[in-house]
């Protein structure tokens, strides 16, 4: 079946940076050109962070991360990245990679996405 595997999470200090990776199988990557990052903290709804369209490269960001988070992709590696800068404790969450077969839309809604990875934990401490 689909392969979406996140990596790069961990424990970091406030103000630090890290890069998350989401590697997909070739078929998954090419057939699901809208790739996205979500996060979910305990007791909270899953929040869409950013999307990138694989072929066109167009991106969307939610307001809470705009300017600090950067989504990018390396099509040769079937991998999407999330560069996170200036981390805050409120960024602590499980971060998920997701994909669906249509065009990315400005509103990053979880129910739009068909495929999900298992998540990678990000914990920010002071």
């Amino acid at each position: 079946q689909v392969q979406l595997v996140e990596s790069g999470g961990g424990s970091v200090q406030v103000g630090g940076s890290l890069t998350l990776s989401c590697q997909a199988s070739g078929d998954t990557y090419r057939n699901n050109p809208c790739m996205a990052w979500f996060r979910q903290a305990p007791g909270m709804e899953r929040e869409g962070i950013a999307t990138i369209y694989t072929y066109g490269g167009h991106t969307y960001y939610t307001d809470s991360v705009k300017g600090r988070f950067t989504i990018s992709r390396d099509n040769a590696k079937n991998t999407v990245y999330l560069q996170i800068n200036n981390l805050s404790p409120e960024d602590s969450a499980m971060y998920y990679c997701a994909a669906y077969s249509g065009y990315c839309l400005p509103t990053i809604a979880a129910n739009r996405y068909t495929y999900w990875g298992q998540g990678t934990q990000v914990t920010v401490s002071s």
Side-chain angles (χ1 to χ4, degrees):
Q1 202 184 347
V2 62
Q3 296 180 14
L4 284 177
V5 181
E6 303 98 333
S7 62
S11 297
V12 296
Q13 292 180 282
V14 169
S17 300
L18 56 77
T19 299
L20 308 183
S21 298
C22 172
Q23 186 171 25
S25 68
D27 286 346
T28 299
Y29 197 80
R30 70 175 61 92
N31 292 332
N32 296 277
C34 184
M35 305 288 289
W37 285 98
F38 292 79
R39 67 184 180 186
Q40 188 168 24
M44 305 295 290
E45 293 184 343
R46 190 163 296 189
E47 176 188 24
I49 300 168
T51 66
I52 186 166
Y53 191 69
T54 300
Y55 301 114
H58 192 79
T59 60
Y60 295 108
Y61 296 92
T62 192
D63 288 344
S64 64
V65 307
K66 195 173 298 181
R68 295 191 299 118
F69 288 29
T70 302
I71 189 170
S72 62
R73 81 288 194 274
D74 185 339
N75 290 348
K77 297 180 179 179
N78 297 336
T79 300
V80 174
Y81 303 96
L82 186 69
Q83 175 68 43
I84 310 175
N85 296 323
N86 195 23
L87 280 157
S88 168
E90 64 208 48
D91 296 317
S92 295
M94 184 73 75
Y95 283 71
Y96 297 93
C97 179
Y100 87 106
S101 62
Y103 292 102
C104 296
L105 299 174
T107 301
I108 309 169
N111 62 5
R112 189 178 299 138
Y113 290 82
T114 306
Y115 302 106
W116 295 84
Q118 295 301 303
T120 184
Q121 180 68 43
V122 173
T123 302
V124 185
S125 62
S126 59

